Amino acid sequence: MADLEVAVVVGGGPGLGAAIARRLVTVGMRVAVARRDAAALTALLTSLGPNAKGYACDATDERAVSDLFVSVARDLGPPRLVLFNAGGFVRKGTLD
């Protein structure tokens, strides 16, 4: 497992974040999936298998993001790929 590259997905929600995490595991990467509520990652992590690990991280908090990368490097190794997919659905007009 030590020879697998590491990816970090920040914003591991049930849509795009989960789909990307699944794809990265499929191509042979170890994947760190971060979400504000780590408990919400349980089903996704179970489906991803042993090459995925979940982390709680509020992406609006600089310290939490820094701690995330320290933890990922310690647990899985330095990331080769980082995907920032965090966001909240806010409906606004086109010009907003």
Side-chain angles (χ1 to χ4, degrees):
M1 183 159 111
D3 58 338
L4 298 179
E5 291 183 324
V6 176
V8 178
V9 177
V10 179
L16 184 60
I20 291 170
R22 281 191 291 274
R23 179 67 176 146
L24 294 171
V25 166
T26 306
V27 298
M29 296 185 87
R30 285 181 287 164
V31 181
V33 185
R35 185 174 176 165
R36 187 174 295 161
D37 176 12
L41 290 170
T42 303
L44 174 61
L45 293 172
T46 299
S47 73
L48 293 176
N51 285 334
K53 183 166 175 58
Y55 298 86
C57 180
D58 178 349
T60 66
D61 179 345
E62 183 178 349
R63 176 64 180 227
V65 174
S66 178
D67 291 346
L68 168 66
F69 282 91
V70 168
S71 295
V72 169
R74 178 194 65 226
D75 298 344
L76 303 175
R80 168 86 173 165
L81 178 129
V82 176
L83 176 81
F84 183 80
N85 181 57
F89 179 74
V90 178
R91 185 169 282 205
K92 291 188 176 188
T94 305
L95 298 178
D96 294 326

